[in-house]
Amino acid sequence: MSLNTAKLKTDLKEVYTATYEATGSRDAALDAFIDAFADKFEDYIKTAEIVYTNGLTAGTNPVVGIFNGELR
């Protein structure tokens, strides 16, 4: 699965709207926003996938070579 920027934007809009509509102190709203933002961003990053094609060898030795692949 590749990074889903459209979903991240939707999620962050929900986070912002929920914080904007929240009642309470400014500090409480800010803490709620930061906590929710961090959670959504972590979920987004965890959808990344590393696609390895070739380039590294190990056997009984330390891994050597050039990593060939990409981050999606």
Side-chain angles (χ1 to χ4, degrees), residues 3 40-49:
L3 294 173
K40 295 296 183 183
F41 193 71
E42 180 181 6
D43 292 344
Y44 173 73
I45 295 299
K46 286 181 177 179
T47 66
E49 134 185 325

Side-chain angles (χ1 to χ4, degrees), residues 12 15 19 27-43:
L12 294 181
V15 167
T19 303
D27 288 340
L30 181 59
D31 288 343
F33 175 80
I34 295 301
D35 289 344
F37 180 94
D39 291 343
K40 295 296 183 183
F41 193 71
E42 180 181 6
D43 292 344

